[in-house]
Amino acid sequence: MTGKQIAIIGGGPAGLMAAEVLSLSGHRITVYDSMPTVARKFLLAGKSGLNITHSEDYIRFANRFGQSSDRLRSALDAFTPDDIRSWAAGLGTETFTGSSGRVFPAVMKASPLLRAWIGRLETEGVKVLTRHRWSGFAEGGFAFETPEGRTIVQCDAALLALGGASYPRLGSDAAWIAWLRNKGIDIADFQPANCGFDVAWSAIFSERFAGEPLKAVTATSAAGTFPGEFVISRHGIEGSLVYAHAASLRDRLANDGKAALTVDLTPGRTAQRLSRDLARQDVKASLSNRLRKGAGIEGVKMALLRELVPSANLADPERLSHLIKALPIPLLRPRPITEAISSAGGIRWSAIDDGYMLKALPGVFVAGEMIDWEAPTGGYLLSACFATGRAAAKGIEVWLQR
């Protein structure tokens, strides 16, 4: 059992977590990563406060992964949000729960946690080789392009943890798709997830309001109705509230060719109250004054109404009040996957056994965003990467015992 050579290809959270689990079993573990340092995307996420997991009720948490929730459940059960917080504490990183329920490191950075984690792995004998880019299968092993040239690695088992297709500049470029498809692995095409959307803004609106946040609103799609805020961008809309609806809106665009995010600009007021208060305004007053006094709307919210609502509706208090409560923002397309926080698609679950091994490639396992699942932002993505990395490591242990 001991002394097996295991290659982990990809040094992100899933790969590093698998390395930690496997090193405790006495195996010889080597992590290969194409970048100069490991966990580049993990560090980038940590620049604005790392969402390491989420504190909501666990049953609700475990169902945040859409159609993949059932398949991910055993991995999540084995490494729950509470387990993640305890693991981080063991590395010297205390965590706290924000007002949104998201869990952050107390230092609001990823780098101290990563440094401690790498230090632990080195102490446990894990070898990390950077600037080693996997370039496909060769001679019964795995080919890598390295600073010293091409090399072939042969091992007793391997874990692929190469990420999805978002942020390719940080290493997740999905180059592996062709090599796995050539081996008969069924892979769903990648799509952007947790992404912004293009909107056909007028040049004047775009130039004036790009970067402006819409605060204290709710947004509705087939995914449900959620409060929050988002940002007007030069191309359209982006931000946490948009990301919460991204999967639903992306799929609606793909299926119907059109979609809209419906926004309530005044969640604290009813349409009836708005209609009454707007009707009381002096008809000779400017639209700006009527909206400000009758609806408490100004700034970018007022500009958004002018941008999207026909003039006739702006003049009618009843129609205007209903649009204030349910303003559809018509979308053109998702932003490119290279800008997305994460990606949907990847290796289909039907190609993976319960131990996270590829059915068509005995001894080759997968974890993280290579697999066809998606989740909203807020700690869910990272939690599932940790959990699937651990689950794949356990799968490797069982397979090696056989």
Side-chain angles (χ1 to χ4, degrees):
M1 175 65 183
T2 58
K4 298 293 185 180
Q5 182 66 48
I6 301 172
I8 296 178
I9 305 175
L16 295 179
M17 186 59 74
E20 180 173 338
V21 172
L22 289 164
S23 67
L24 298 176
S25 298
H27 299 300
R28 289 173 291 158
I29 313 300
T30 304
V31 176
Y32 301 88
D33 196 273
S34 63
M35 303 300 287
T37 56
V38 298
R40 286 290 185 95
K41 189 175 177 182
F42 181 79
L43 285 174
L44 179 66
K47 284 187 175 180
S48 57
L50 184 69
N51 299 155
I52 195 169
T53 190
H54 205 286
S55 65
E56 69 183 347
D57 174 77
Y58 179 68
I59 299 301
R60 183 174 174 82
F61 172 90
N63 284 302
R64 290 287 197 176
F65 301 88
Q67 296 180 350
S68 293
S69 293
D70 288 344
R71 189 63 190 269
L72 284 168
R73 185 59 185 270
S74 61
L76 295 170
D77 286 349
F79 201 54
T80 66
D82 286 342
D83 293 329
I84 292 173
R85 298 186 74 168
S86 295
W87 167 81
L91 288 169
T93 294
E94 297 299 327
T95 56
F96 73 95
T97 302
S99 58
S100 65
R102 300 180 182 196
V103 176
F104 300 89
V107 295
M108 291 299 285
K109 295 179 181 179
S111 51
L113 175 60
L114 182 60
R115 283 195 300 269
W117 195 7
I118 296 299
R120 174 188 285 178
L121 293 175
E122 290 175 347
T123 299
E124 292 167 354
V126 174
K127 187 176 183 180
V128 177
L129 296 178
T130 56
R131 302 183 191 273
H132 278 60
R133 179 178 294 277
W134 183 41
S135 56
F137 299 97
E139 302 170 27
F142 300 84
F144 289 88
E145 300 300 326
T146 79
E148 289 73 38
R150 187 171 185 264
T151 187
I152 306 297
V153 171
Q154 295 179 327
C155 52
D156 296 294
L159 171 65
L160 304 179
L162 292 157
S166 63
Y167 283 91
R169 63 187 177 86
L170 301 180
S172 299
D173 58 9
W176 51 266
I177 290 178
W179 306 320
L180 292 188
R181 279 180 171 160
N182 285 340
K183 295 291 185 178
I185 310 300
D186 191 9
I187 301 171
D189 291 338
F190 277 116
Q191 305 178 75
N194 293 298
C195 60
F197 290 84
D198 286 342
V199 179
W201 299 135
S202 67
I204 293 176
F205 181 83
S206 175
E207 291 170 6
R208 172 65 180 83
F209 293 98
E212 290 287 333
L214 263 83
K215 298 184 176 182
V217 298
T218 64
T220 300
S221 73
T225 299
F226 312 116
E229 64 181 75
F230 63 94
V231 176
I232 301 296
S233 72
R234 184 165 59 89
H235 301 287
I237 54 175
E238 60 184 41
S240 59
L241 188 54
V242 175
Y243 304 154
H245 295 275
S248 171
L249 296 170
R250 180 199 66 218
D251 293 346
R252 177 64 63 86
L253 281 167
N255 294 331
D256 300 345
K258 59 182 180 179
L261 181 66
T262 302
V263 179
D264 181 350
L265 297 175
T266 59
R269 305 190 189 201
T270 65
Q272 292 78 9
R273 177 187 168 186
L274 285 169
S275 180
R276 182 180 66 250
D277 291 347
L278 287 168
R280 290 174 175 169
Q281 303 307 309
D282 185 350
V283 294
K284 295 182 179 179
S286 67
L287 175 64
S288 297
N289 280 331
R290 284 186 281 124
L291 283 171
R292 180 172 53 81
K293 294 179 180 180
I297 287 177
E298 54 190 337
V300 65
K301 289 184 178 180
M302 183 186 302
L304 191 62
L305 284 168
R306 290 181 182 273
E307 177 76 3
L308 297 175
V309 177
S311 299
N313 289 339
L314 289 172
D316 184 294
E318 185 172 354
R319 281 187 284 181
L320 179 56
S321 65
H322 285 290
L323 286 165
I324 290 171
K325 295 297 293 179
L327 180 66
I329 301 178
L331 310 176
L332 297 176
R333 66 190 71 84
R335 291 297 299 162
I337 196 168
T338 54
E339 298 178 9
I341 291 175
S342 60
S343 53
I347 300 168
R348 296 188 190 275
W349 288 108
S350 58
I352 305 167
D353 73 8
D354 291 340
Y356 285 79
M357 185 171 73
L358 293 172
K359 295 176 182 178
L361 294 174
V364 179
F365 295 74
V366 291
E369 289 190 73
M370 290 183 73
I371 303 171
D372 186 12
W373 60 271
E374 64 177 308
T377 58
Y380 306 101
L381 293 161
L382 192 51
S383 293
C385 286
F386 287 146
T388 57
R390 289 179 61 88
K394 296 296 185 181
I396 289 173
E397 289 179 342
V398 171
W399 186 78
L400 288 174
Q401 286 177 328
R402 292 174 185 166

